[in-house]
């Protein structure tokens, strides 16, 4: 996650395309699968960031009211 967030579009595209090739059994359309993987990656990354932010706020005693 950290590695790919510091790469340009060409490198992240290549990484997701290689993953799509390995997961070809899920969908025969590699371009469609690649797009789905890239969208899902953003959802997962932001969910992790949101969880960590919430945990940090809770530990530090910040009131959200």
């Amino acid at each position: 996650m950290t590695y790919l967030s510091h790469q340009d579009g060409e490198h992240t595209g290549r990484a997701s395309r290689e993953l799509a090739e390995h997961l070809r059994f899920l969908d025969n359309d590699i371009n469609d699968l690649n797009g789905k993987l890239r969208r899902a990656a953003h959802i997962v990354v932001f969910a992790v960031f949101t969880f960590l932010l919430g945990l940090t706020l809770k530990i530090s005693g910040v009131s959200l009211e």
Side-chain angles (χ1 to χ4, degrees):
M1 184 168 70
T2 303
Y3 170 76
L4 288 176
S5 70
H6 290 86
Q7 301 301 312
D8 60 20
E10 180 183 337
H11 288 93
T12 58
R14 190 175 326 138
S16 66
R17 181 102 173 140
E18 288 174 9
L19 182 57
E21 292 286 342
H22 291 298
L23 298 175
R24 176 172 273 214
F25 63 90
L26 295 174
D27 191 344
N28 286 332
D29 184 354
I30 292 297
N31 291 326
D32 184 50
L33 181 58
N34 187 30
K36 289 175 183 175
L37 286 171
R38 292 178 71 84
R39 284 189 296 280
H42 285 91
I43 293 168
V44 170
V45 167
F46 286 113
V48 169
F49 286 154
T50 302
F51 172 76
L52 292 174
L53 175 62
L55 187 62
T56 301
L57 292 173
K58 182 176 174 85
I59 290 172
S60 64
V62 174
S63 176
L64 299 176
E65 295 178 23

